[in-house]
Amino acid sequence: MSKTAILITEFASERRAQGMTIRDAAFAACEERLRPILMTVVTMIAGMIPLIIAGGAGANGNRVLALGVTAGMAVGTLALLFVVPVFFMLFQKLHEKYQGRPVEVAPEGEVVISDEKTNEELREIETNENN
């Protein structure tokens, strides 16, 4: 679960650096990671089903363990999909408020320092400083 939360945060940070809003970046990261998350959770829960329905000696211990794992995966997945993006948006807003917007790299390799100045404006500033 923690690795997936880190991946969601990393994907959202990359989208934010590409110029998306904080909200859109968080939602895009969740949408992109939804399928692998659900595949992992469904596989784990499906693996616990034989332990839940098994009978015989020692079945009660296995059943309790399997139900705990199943419930933990379900609650953890819900928290992962709904809580992690909220915390990302909160902490990203705080980060940008106190430390400024992250530097963006344009596809051509040109650096955009902020939304206020375009690459052309930066070139004009450089040429004015050189003259």
Side-chain angles (χ1 to χ4, degrees), residues 51-126:
L51 290 176
I52 293 172
I53 61 175
N60 285 337
N62 290 340
R63 187 172 299 126
V64 170
L65 179 66
L67 286 172
V69 170
T70 302
M73 289 297 289
V75 171
T77 301
L78 291 175
L80 182 70
L81 292 175
F82 295 109
V83 176
V84 170
V86 171
F87 278 116
F88 172 78
M89 290 186 286
L90 173 72
F91 286 113
Q92 188 66 30
K93 284 181 184 177
L94 289 173
H95 175 75
E96 291 179 12
K97 180 178 179 181
Y98 293 108
Q99 296 196 358
R101 182 128 191 246
V103 174
E104 300 175 21
V105 178
E108 305 86 37
E110 297 181 24
V111 176
V112 178
I113 295 177
S114 70
D115 289 336
E116 298 170 4
K117 295 187 193 288
T118 62
N119 289 326
E120 294 169 5
E121 291 172 340
L122 291 173
R123 283 191 202 114
E124 286 179 26
I125 292 170
E126 289 177 4

